[in-house]
Amino acid sequence: MSKPHALIATPVMGYIRKGVEDAFETHALYEAEDREAFLNEIADKVEAICFGGHGMMIDDAFMARFPKLKIISNFGVGYDNVDAKAALARGVIVTNTPEVLTEEVADTALGLLLMTARELGQAEQWLRAGKWANTGDYRLTPATLRDRSVGIVGLGRIGKAIARRCEAFGLPISYFGRRKQSGVSYPFYDDINALAADVDTLIIVTPATPETTNMINAQTLQNLGTRGILINIARGAVIDETALINAIKNKEIFAAGLDVMWNEPKINTELMELENTVLLPHVGSASVYTREGMGQLVIDNLLAYKARTAPPTPVAETPFSGW
């Protein structure tokens, strides 16, 4: 029996590629010298797309090239590079990889918060530069977690995992979201600027959507105040980066810790030059253990299509109702 055809649109882990190749006739777009000729040759065969989540946009025009397309299996919990509404209109299921990365990303968020508040990266560089021996102790850090309150922007799976960790540190929690969640005791805010005014630490976990683009703006940062620490573990597009740079330069907030940035990996040089920032290269879920779990879920979603069974993790915009 012939295998269905799958397009691997962007570079993926070897683990994923092998799993897809075992079950599908695969076509790697990112290896094609002439992308247009390559797509024209295979377009009427492709039923599935495997997608790394970065480097390109799977929009309606791209989907329209594949008349047999039924599933887009996305590597990552975020799927802002896929037009899910267009997929729904075309009868295409979009899947992602939630849950398997929740704990890893939450761990990274707390590590980033500790690094930012206690200047742990700067202290290490002080030691490595020989300053401890030659100049003396690193300064007493003006910030600590001992007297802070945390506002979480986006209390989904990852947001709740971060909240549990913050509670273990003795930090009071509030949250902002589209609606108040049942069974959640943390104070709820439907106005992000009001939340920023009432806490001194914001942790951003919300998905990137047209509605959330630049939602953390100059007013939000001003409300956060001069003691404010901003942590972003979500997507760079959620923060107005120019406003953030200005707020840090002008000491309107104390510091920022970012695992994600606009136009990554080509980072704004002004952001790179700021001393009171901690910048990580989008490593929130980047352990072998977690990435292999994510990869297996990408494969499992594709295998579900091949077997004509329900995919494990369709996104909310494209609920499964049959193939």
Side-chain angles (χ1 to χ4, degrees):
M1 185 175 179
S2 62
K3 296 178 180 179
H5 288 251
L7 176 69
I8 303 178
T10 58
V12 294
M13 298 165 52
Y15 181 82
I16 296 174
R17 180 152 181 171
K18 182 180 185 306
V20 178
E21 288 177 341
D22 286 346
F24 292 81
E25 292 291 338
T26 59
H27 310 276
L29 176 59
Y30 62 92
E31 293 178 348
E33 293 184 5
D34 185 333
R35 288 168 58 98
E36 285 301 309
F38 178 82
L39 289 172
N40 288 336
E41 182 178 347
I42 65 168
D44 62 349
K45 303 175 185 177
V46 170
E47 299 173 52
I49 293 177
C50 177
F51 180 54
H54 297 285
M56 67 177 292
M57 178 73 188
I58 305 251
D59 57 13
D60 185 58
F62 189 79
M63 291 181 230
R65 303 185 73 149
F66 309 102
K68 295 181 180 178
L69 182 63
K70 294 297 183 183
I71 184 170
I72 299 170
S73 186
N74 175 69
F75 180 84
V77 66
Y79 50 96
D80 45 300
N81 283 27
V82 182
D83 188 336
K85 291 182 179 178
L88 175 65
R90 293 186 174 277
V92 175
I93 298 293
V94 179
T95 65
N96 65 341
T97 60
E99 297 186 359
V100 291
L101 51 65
T102 296
E103 302 302 326
E104 202 79 75
V105 175
D107 288 348
T108 304
L110 264 291
L112 191 53
L113 176 58
L114 282 166
M115 289 179 69
T116 305
R118 290 298 318 283
E119 304 175 14
L120 300 181
Q122 295 95 317
E124 185 199 14
Q125 291 305 312
W126 180 272
L127 179 151
R128 288 182 179 276
K131 293 182 179 179
W132 190 18
N134 298 323
T135 307
D137 293 343
Y138 186 77
R139 71 171 185 165
L140 301 180
T141 57
T144 176
L145 297 190
R146 301 284 66 79
D147 59 354
R148 289 196 161 267
S149 57
V150 172
I152 297 177
V153 180
L155 199 71
R157 295 182 184 93
I158 296 172
K160 288 184 174 72
I162 292 171
R164 292 196 301 272
R165 286 159 172 77
C166 288
E167 281 191 295
F169 278 84
L171 301 172
I173 312 297
S174 306
Y175 74 101
F176 165 83
R178 289 176 293 180
R179 64 186 67 88
K180 182 177 174 63
Q181 297 191 29
S182 61
V184 173
S185 60
Y186 310 129
F188 166 72
Y189 288 73
D190 61 6
D191 182 331
I192 194 166
N193 290 328
L195 174 63
D198 286 349
V199 300
D200 52 32
T201 307
L202 275 183
I203 301 179
I204 315 303
V205 204
T206 192
T209 67
E211 293 74 28
T212 63
T213 299
N214 286 338
M215 71 182 301
I216 307 298
N217 56 31
Q219 184 63 61
T220 314
L221 297 168
Q222 184 177 343
N223 286 12
L224 189 58
T226 57
R227 296 184 71 250
I229 289 178
L230 180 71
I231 303 295
N232 190 9
I233 200 78
R235 285 288 191 268
V238 177
I239 297 176
D240 181 336
E241 200 164 274
T242 299
L244 176 61
I245 291 168
N246 289 336
I248 294 172
K249 281 184 175 179
N250 298 329
K251 299 183 179 180
E252 294 173 7
I253 68 171
F254 177 72
L258 311 174
D259 185 46
V260 289
M261 287 142 275
W262 276 91
N263 202 35
E264 59 184 51
K266 297 178 181 179
I267 309 305
N268 188 321
T269 54
E270 285 190 88
L271 193 60
M272 297 274 282
E273 291 167 359
L274 296 173
E275 292 185 359
N276 51 338
T277 59
V278 176
L279 307 177
L280 299 180
H282 204 151
V283 295
S285 64
S287 72
V288 172
Y289 176 90
T290 294
R291 289 292 174 87
E292 286 189 351
M294 293 167 65
Q296 187 60 54
L297 195 46
V298 169
I299 296 165
D300 290 346
N301 279 305
L302 291 170
L303 292 178
Y305 166 69
K306 184 180 180 183
R308 299 302 192 269
T309 58
T313 54
V315 303
E317 293 90 338
T318 62
F320 177 72
S321 60
W323 295 111

